[in-house]
Amino acid sequence: LALRVRDLALGDAGALFACVRDLPLGDLGPATEQCRKRAIPDGLRAKVLESAGSVVGHVYCSLLGSARAPLLGPEGVAPERVLVLHCPWVDRRLRGRGLGRRLLEAVLADARAQRLYGIAMISTAEEQFLGDTVMKHLGWVEVDRREDDDARLLWLALTATSGAQRQPEPLPRFAPAQTLVTTASPS
């Protein structure tokens, strides 16, 4: 099985949201197409995993300022230094082969090269919906939780402080209900 990881190019938005074929729902075609049209101009980045020209895995991400996620960034950290991970997915027939890890490692390499502060991801206990078990196994930590829907905010710090005087790192958190914000600053 020949596989390759590549960046999503502006011209191949049709590769977006291949994961819907694994969902036990009716026709998601119209909703998927609407998301495709909106995603690229809104700053969505993606790594896709291909086999024989077909997308068999992906992970999307965007900087916090354009993520449209109900998150407050770490206090004192610019939204451009925080990446938000969306929709990590590997075709169910190929799971358990380390392919998700391969996609995440590609995202991590880019984030480190850009000297980002960290990566946030909203997760649940449901493995088909951004389950947190695998992510925690890969070093992510839960830093916040919403009680109303059991959403978990996972965090992977990319900056490290060392020494005996280590200070607690500022962490992201969920925004208050009915609020869509991108930074912890008062503005």
Side-chain angles (χ1 to χ4, degrees):
L1 186 63
L3 297 165
R4 76 176 182 131
V5 174
R6 67 172 178 86
D7 290 317
L8 181 75
L10 194 56
D12 63 359
L16 286 171
F17 308 110
C19 57
V20 298
R21 68 177 176 245
D22 272 353
L23 297 176
L25 302 171
D27 181 22
L28 294 174
T32 302
E33 193 54 38
Q34 194 77 354
C35 288
R36 285 180 178 139
K37 288 178 182 175
R38 196 176 78 216
I40 300 284
D42 282 354
L44 185 76
R45 306 172 187 181
K47 295 284 185 188
V48 293
L49 179 67
E50 289 181 323
S51 173
S54 180
V55 174
V56 294
H58 57 59
V59 61
Y60 306 142
C61 49
S62 53
L63 294 174
L64 181 59
S66 62
R68 296 184 182 186
L71 303 177
L72 295 170
E75 192 168 333
V77 177
E80 307 82 52
R81 297 208 50 233
V82 176
L83 195 64
V84 179
L85 197 71
H86 313 280
C87 204
W89 166 78
V90 172
D91 185 298
R92 71 174 151 249
R93 297 167 296 185
L94 299 174
R95 292 180 188 158
R97 299 180 188 187
L99 301 177
R101 177 185 298 258
R102 189 168 159 188
L103 281 167
L104 289 173
E105 286 172 354
V107 170
L108 285 172
D110 286 355
R112 286 188 174 113
Q114 296 168 32
R115 303 181 59 81
L116 297 180
Y117 183 78
I119 305 174
M121 182 179 107
I122 298 172
S123 177
T124 73
E126 301 295 327
E127 292 304 314
Q128 70 270 28
F129 298 111
L130 303 179
D132 62 355
T133 304
V134 170
M135 301 307 282
K136 287 178 180 177
H137 178 74
L138 296 174
W140 295 65
V141 294
E142 184 177 321
V143 296
D144 200 4
R145 185 180 291 210
R146 286 191 312 228
E147 298 303 322
D148 60 337
D149 63 358
D150 200 34
R152 295 111 192 258
L153 178 55
L154 301 182
W155 177 247
L156 184 66
L158 298 178
T159 59
T161 56
S162 60
Q165 298 298 320
R166 183 177 177 150
Q167 297 292 317
E169 296 178 25
L171 299 170
R173 63 189 187 281
F174 281 112
Q178 305 300 318
T179 305
L180 183 63
V181 294
T182 57
T183 150
S185 69
S187 61

